[in-house]
Amino acid sequence: MRAKQRGGADVVRRSDGRRVALPFGLPDAVGAVRGRERVDGGEGRPGASPPAAGRRALQTTVGLLGLVAVVFGTQTVLLGARSVLGAGAVSANLDNELRFYAAWYVGAGLLLLRSVPRVEAATTWIRGVAAVLLLAASGRLLSLLTVGRPHPGQIALMLVEFAIPLILVPWQTVVARRWRAGRPSTR
């Protein structure tokens, strides 16, 4: 594919003969990438083999995490404290605050979902969401230490929230390195 400048956008010709405009050098939705073409499964590198299990598994994991965040965040925005296991009676102030923070959970989920198609290039987004998740888990731990033991489900969530970033960040780093090196991930 050759790129030509036309009105502030690169125009590339794909191997199937179609021309695709890439404004500001960004990938388009149909698979043309500046100087590269997606082949057999969207690897984005000339002659690449179909996507490796590590990349696909990471995409699936990031997608599921994003979906969980969007669904349960939206549920909490809509239901407030009623969405929390064993919440009991809460003040209007606490319910209001919980719904506000739940919207941020939805936002984090949307960022993860946005990262799925190019998970190997989404290092900043994935690390940012992972850092926020660690901070959130730390907040749960602080609550446990200062206020008392919550419902066992909340403790389980805290443990998962500590584990996810410790698994996700190194995994994405390996996939990104292998991608840059031109070798599909095998992990």
Side-chain angles (χ1 to χ4, degrees), residues 45-135:
R45 296 203 179 272
S49 60
R55 181 173 181 266
R56 276 195 181 159
L58 180 60
Q59 285 177 306
T60 301
T61 301
V62 169
L64 287 174
L65 290 171
L67 187 62
V68 165
V70 169
V71 168
F72 287 100
T74 301
Q75 175 189 9
T76 304
V77 167
L78 297 174
L79 299 177
R82 290 178 298 165
S83 68
V84 178
L85 292 170
V90 297
S91 71
N93 290 340
L94 183 59
D95 184 78
N96 183 287
E97 198 74 6
L98 179 64
R99 290 175 196 249
F100 171 80
Y101 290 123
W104 288 95
Y105 191 36
V106 173
L110 292 173
L111 288 176
L112 288 175
L113 290 174
R114 179 185 184 276
S115 301
V116 170
R118 296 278 322 254
V119 73
E120 69 282 349
T123 303
T124 302
W125 294 117
I126 290 174
R127 286 183 181 179
V129 171
V132 170
L133 191 56
L134 273 176
L135 183 62

Side-chain angles (χ1 to χ4, degrees), residues 12 14 18-23 25-34 38:
V12 296
R14 296 173 14 135
R18 292 179 19 187
R19 283 196 243 189
V20 181
L22 303 175
L26 298 175
D28 78 335
V30 295
V33 178
R34 177 184 231 164
R38 293 183 179 196

Side-chain angles (χ1 to χ4, degrees), residues 1-13 18-28 32-36:
M1 291 190 316
R2 300 224 172 210
K4 296 179 181 178
Q5 285 285 22
R6 183 178 289 169
D10 286 336
V11 177
V12 296
R13 185 178 300 273
R18 292 179 19 187
R19 283 196 243 189
V20 181
L22 303 175
F24 312 110
L26 298 175
D28 78 335
V33 178
R34 177 184 231 164
R36 301 181 195 163

Side-chain angles (χ1 to χ4, degrees), residues 124-175:
T124 302
W125 294 117
I126 290 174
R127 286 183 181 179
V129 171
V132 170
L133 191 56
L134 273 176
L135 183 62
S138 298
R140 286 188 194 266
L141 180 60
L142 183 61
S143 174
L144 185 145
L145 296 173
T146 59
V147 179
R149 193 168 185 81
H151 186 279
Q154 300 296 342
I155 293 174
L157 285 173
M158 178 184 67
L159 295 175
V160 169
E161 291 160 355
F162 274 122
I164 287 173
L166 299 176
I167 295 166
L168 196 61
V169 169
W171 186 7
Q172 193 276 338
T173 300
V174 168
V175 169

